[in-house]
Amino acid sequence: QVQLVESGGGLVQAGGSLRLSCATSGRTFSSYGMGWFRQAPGKEREFVATISWSGSITAYADSVKGRFTISRDNAKNTVYLQMNSLKPDDTAVYYCAAGARAYYSSSGPQRYDYWGQGTQVTVSS
């Protein structure tokens, strides 16, 4: 069993930055591809970013490309999401996810087996 705990969310003005962290338990962190997803009120959960087990492959949703950066530290069992130039449309609960079937990265939520509880990000205009 893998447990994921997100942190780093909060309230920020448009144009600002936040860095989300997702700490995982267990010794198999490097066996998983990792992803960040988000869900805004009244909307479905959507893909944000993904990273392969080694960190060599990353992919982003078009809406965040050039503004967000996903990274991981396998020694610390942690994945990060650096969010710059935030917009009010980025307001959502952000979830991290881990999946063996996302080993080489994946934007599909069905490839992720473990999910965190989410962290709220609110961007004011």
Side-chain angles (χ1 to χ4, degrees):
Q1 188 76 7
V2 177
Q3 293 185 329
L4 294 79
V5 179
E6 302 99 334
S7 61
L11 174 64
V12 64
Q13 289 188 333
S17 298
L18 283 174
R19 188 194 195 201
L20 304 184
S21 298
C22 175
T24 69
S25 64
R27 301 179 180 178
T28 58
F29 179 70
S30 61
S31 299
Y32 296 105
M34 301 295 295
W36 285 97
F37 294 78
R38 67 186 182 187
Q39 187 167 18
K43 295 186 177 181
E44 295 186 352
R45 188 173 299 190
E46 66 174 1
F47 164 75
V48 176
T50 179
I51 189 166
S52 64
W53 71 276
S54 66
S56 62
I57 302 171
T58 59
Y60 300 89
D62 288 343
S63 59
V64 307
K65 201 171 295 183
R67 300 187 297 122
F68 289 12
T69 302
I70 188 171
S71 61
R72 67 188 294 161
D73 185 337
N74 286 349
K76 295 183 178 180
N77 289 358
T78 302
V79 63
Y80 306 96
L81 185 68
Q82 177 67 43
M83 306 186 294
N84 298 330
S85 302
L86 283 162
K87 306 175 181 179
D89 284 349
D90 294 319
T91 295
V93 177
Y94 283 71
Y95 300 89
C96 70
R101 289 173 294 163
Y103 191 68
Y104 293 107
S105 76
S106 176
S107 61
Q110 70 279 3
R111 288 188 171 271
Y112 294 89
D113 304 303
Y114 305 102
W115 294 80
Q117 81 290 349
T119 186
Q120 177 70 47
V121 171
T122 303
V123 184
S124 63
S125 58

